Amino acid sequence: MNSDKQSDTREPVPWLWLGLGVALSLVLLVGAFIWLMSFLSQPPEETAVAQEPTILVLTAPPQPTSTPTVLRPTPTVLPTTTPQPTIDVSVAPPELTVGYYATVADTGGVGLTVRNGPSTRTVRIVVASEGSKVYVLDGPTDADSLQWWQIRLTDGTEGWAAGDFLVPAAGP
C-alpha cells in the first residue's frame, strides 16, 4: 500500500498545457518569419525627388581674345660715351691728386698717423711708416689748420691723413 500512496501523491504532467504552449510558440515563430519575409521582399520606397545621373560635359578651354597691338615709337639709340682714359700712375703728378699715389715723408722717422676722420680729434687707426706708399681716395678737406686726404694703405686700411706729410709719387 505504501507504493500506491506514493504514486497518488505525484502530480500528473500537464500535457495539455505543455502542448498548447509549444503550438502557440510555433505559430508565433511562423507568423514572425512570414511577416519578416514579406517586409524584406518589398521594394524600397521611392523618394519624392527622383535623382537623375549627373552628366559632365567637357568643353575646350576658352580661347584668348585678341587685343589690338599698340604701336610704340622705336626708341632712339643713345650715343655711347667715350670711356675715360685710365690714369697713368707711373708718373707722379706735380701735387697731391685723387686717384694717384703718395709717399709718407717728412715725419722725422715717426710715421704718419692715419685717423678715422679729417681731424686731430678723431680716433687714431694706425701709423703709416716713413716712406710707405698710399693711394689717395679723396680730399682735400680743411680742418684743424691742416689739409686732410683720405688714403688707402697697401694692406687695405683706409683713413684720413694730414697732407703736410704726403708727397706725390708714382704708382707701384
Side-chain angles (χ1 to χ4, degrees):
M1 259 210 10
N2 235 354
S3 63
D4 286 337
K5 232 179 178 183
Q6 281 181 351
S7 63
D8 288 340
T9 57
R10 284 194 317 205
E11 294 209 14
V13 176
W15 290 109
L16 177 66
W17 291 111
L18 184 63
L20 284 174
V22 169
L24 183 61
S25 295
L26 285 175
V27 168
L28 286 175
L29 281 175
V30 169
F33 179 74
I34 291 172
W35 176 78
L36 184 62
M37 291 307 289
S38 69
F39 177 74
L40 292 177
S41 66
Q42 290 179 355
E45 294 181 15
E46 294 295 322
T47 58
V49 177
Q51 291 184 350
E52 294 184 19
T54 304
I55 298 174
L56 296 176
V57 178
L58 299 176
T59 60
Q63 295 295 324
T65 56
S66 61
T67 56
T69 304
V70 177
L71 297 176
R72 294 196 170 103
T74 306
T76 47
V77 178
L78 295 175
T80 57
T81 58
T82 306
Q84 293 293 330
T86 55
I87 299 173
D88 181 16
V89 293
S90 64
V91 178
E95 57 186 32
L96 285 177
T97 307
V98 174
Y100 285 90
Y101 286 86
T103 302
V104 176
D106 302 326
T107 64
V110 176
L112 177 62
T113 302
V114 180
R115 299 181 176 272
N116 71 344
S119 172
T120 56
R121 292 181 301 272
T122 59
V123 176
R124 183 182 306 179
I125 298 174
V126 71
V127 175
S129 62
E130 179 98 21
S132 61
K133 289 224 182 213
V134 296
Y135 182 73
V136 180
L137 297 170
D138 194 14
T141 300
D142 292 326
D144 301 330
S145 305
L146 295 170
Q147 281 192 339
W148 294 86
W149 294 84
Q150 186 179 19
I151 60 171
R152 180 183 304 135
L153 302 175
T154 55
D155 66 356
T157 303
E158 293 182 5
W160 290 83
D164 291 351
F165 304 102
L166 294 173
V167 176

